[in-house]
């Protein structure tokens, strides 16, 4: 049901765009070309052009949907992932979650859920110790957006893997900051926290070409010094998480043990040596839960 709604919305949007373009062309031409310009196309030709554009768009959507169904079957998902709706034209205002505040003002907001009414959630993967090529193939074929929060001590042995990840999907996979060495930050001085956070900003910019604006503190622990240090080197927001995915179960922050619009889902780059399954096993688990509850995975950076 949700898939049909998302698809219908996209087709309707395309139809409106095509109709608007046809209308604009008629108005701008003056209808006859008396000013020396080329004569305007006849109304029937405009209608045929609009219908053709809409048909081409519909065919593209059908082809993408068929590919996603085939990919879901290949990777053992119970159902194909739902397609996310178009992102908001204006990103929602992000504020710090109640109970997560510090005494400082003007610091990056700390949050677990993005304010939206759309039935979307956001998938984030932390650290970088497991570098499974099957994960890249799976996520590309299923067209599932995700964001990676990297720690240098576990990614520096293979920066190339994350460079390939960054370019593995249309629109890219964003790489963000999870500190250099994954320390418990509240136990460090301000200067050492700044070194951990700003040092990782430098690494990501040097290795992957873009200084990240999102930062996640290890273990989700921080204090005011953490946020001050993060702000000093360009961090704009601090997304934590509302639930966590494993290959064999989910863990929940909220009392109702459920998903909500805008929830951030955490998981980790891990393999069989660390938990009961592979990265694709984990994706199967979390996507079966997300899809069964009627949610699509959207790209975090489109909202934050």
């Amino acid at each position: 049901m949700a898939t049909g709604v998302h698809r219908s919305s996209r087709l309707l949007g395309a139809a409106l765009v095509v109709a608007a373009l046809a209308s604009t062309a008629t108005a701008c031409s003056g209808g006859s070309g008396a000013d020396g310009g080329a004569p305007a196309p006849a109304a029937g030709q405009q209608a045929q052009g609009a219908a053709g554009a809409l048909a081409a768009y519909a065919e593209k959507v059908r082809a993408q949907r068929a590919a996603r169904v085939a990919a879901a079957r290949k990777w053992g998902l119970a159902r194909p992932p739902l397609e996310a709706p178009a992102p908001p034209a204006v990103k929602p205002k992000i504020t710090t979650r109640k109970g997560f505040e510090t005494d400082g003002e003007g610091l990056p907001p700390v949050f677990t859920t993005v304010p939206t009414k759309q039935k979307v959630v956001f998938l984030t993967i932390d650290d970088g110790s497991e570098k499974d090529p099957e994960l890249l193939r799976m996520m590309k074929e299923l067209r599932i957006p995700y964001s990676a929060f990297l720690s240098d001590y576990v990614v520096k042995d293979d920066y190339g893997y994350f460079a390939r990840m960054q370019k593995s999907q249309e629109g890219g996979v964003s790489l963000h900051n999870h500190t250099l060495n994954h320390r418990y930050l509240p136990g460090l001085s301000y200067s050492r926290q700044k070194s951990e956070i700003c040092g990782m900003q430098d690494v990501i910019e040097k290795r992957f070409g873009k200084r990240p604006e999102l930062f996640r503190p290890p273990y989700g622990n921080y204090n005011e010094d953490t946020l001050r240090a993060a702000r000093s080197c360009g961090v704009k927001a601090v997304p934590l998480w509302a639930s966590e995915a494993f290959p064999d179960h989910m863990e929940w922050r909220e009392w109702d043990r459920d998903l909500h619009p805008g929830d951030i889902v955490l998981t980790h780059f891990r393999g069989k040596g660390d938990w009961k399954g592979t990265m694709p096993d984990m994706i199967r688990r979390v996507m079966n839960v997300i899809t069964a509850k009627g949610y699509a995975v959207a790209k975090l950076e489109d909202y934050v």
Side-chain angles (χ1 to χ4, degrees):
M1 182 67 178
T3 304
V5 172
H6 291 163
R7 191 188 316 165
S8 298
S9 298
R10 291 174 181 271
L11 292 176
L12 177 59
L16 292 173
V17 169
V18 171
L21 290 172
S23 175
T24 301
T26 302
C28 292
S29 69
S32 66
D35 60 355
Q45 291 176 318
Q46 292 176 357
Q48 289 176 358
L54 180 58
Y57 182 83
E59 181 56 35
K60 179 181 178 181
V61 170
R62 281 193 291 269
Q64 289 177 341
R65 180 62 183 166
R68 217 173 199 190
V69 169
R73 188 179 302 116
K74 171 184 174 180
W75 292 102
L77 273 65
R79 294 170 55 192
L82 299 177
E83 296 180 29
V90 178
K91 293 181 180 181
K93 181 179 180 181
I94 307 294
T95 58
T96 292
R97 176 174 173 156
K98 185 177 181 180
F100 286 59
E101 306 94 337
T102 69
D103 292 332
E105 295 183 0
L107 298 176
V110 181
F111 56 101
T112 61
T113 299
V114 173
T116 180
K117 294 182 179 179
Q118 294 179 326
K119 287 200 74 174
V120 297
V121 296
F122 307 99
L123 184 60
T124 63
I125 312 180
D126 276 10
D127 62 52
S129 59
E130 182 73 12
K131 303 165 184 69
D132 188 346
E134 288 291 283
L135 173 70
L136 305 188
R137 286 191 283 271
M138 183 180 193
M139 301 301 268
K140 179 179 181 179
E141 292 176 12
L142 290 168
R143 298 176 60 237
I144 300 171
Y146 61 105
S147 305
F149 288 78
L150 305 181
S151 292
D152 193 51
Y153 83 109
V154 286
V155 305
K156 63 185 178 182
D157 64 334
D158 191 359
Y159 290 123
Y161 175 83
F162 298 97
R164 292 190 295 276
M165 174 182 290
Q166 186 181 33
K167 300 176 182 178
S168 64
Q169 294 198 22
E170 183 179 351
V173 175
S174 296
L175 308 180
H176 298 297
N177 189 329
H178 198 45
T179 73
L180 289 173
N181 297 295
H182 208 273
R183 306 294 190 212
Y184 175 73
L185 294 177
L188 303 181
S189 66
Y190 172 80
S191 63
R192 291 183 65 192
Q193 290 199 52
K194 185 175 180 179
S195 176
E196 281 287 329
I197 300 166
C198 298
M200 193 60 191
Q201 292 286 88
D202 296 339
V203 167
I204 293 177
E205 183 176 31
K206 177 181 178 181
R207 294 290 179 175
F208 307 112
K210 186 175 180 181
R211 200 168 184 83
E213 295 187 347
L214 304 184
F215 159 68
R216 176 174 286 157
Y219 317 108
N221 295 125
Y222 64 95
N223 58 18
E224 186 174 322
D225 280 348
T226 311
L227 302 183
R228 287 175 51 229
R231 180 182 62 183
S232 76
C233 49
V235 169
K236 305 298 185 184
V238 181
L240 298 184
W241 61 91
S243 59
E244 184 171 357
F246 298 85
D248 58 340
H249 71 286
M250 295 284 294
E251 293 184 359
W252 309 91
R253 183 187 295 272
E254 308 301 338
W255 65 271
D256 59 357
R257 298 176 58 80
D258 203 356
L259 292 175
H260 313 87
D263 274 359
I264 299 170
V265 180
L266 164 69
T267 189
H268 289 82
F269 291 96
R270 295 284 189 272
K272 287 185 175 181
D274 300 295
W275 59 15
K276 299 177 181 178
T278 63
M279 293 294 291
D281 291 334
M282 178 276 299
I283 294 297
R284 271 188 288 276
R285 161 70 65 168
V286 70
M287 289 309 304
N288 284 340
V289 170
I290 289 170
T291 305
K293 291 179 178 293
Y295 285 84
V297 177
K299 187 173 181 178
L300 180 63
E301 296 76 19
D302 286 341
Y303 291 73
V304 177

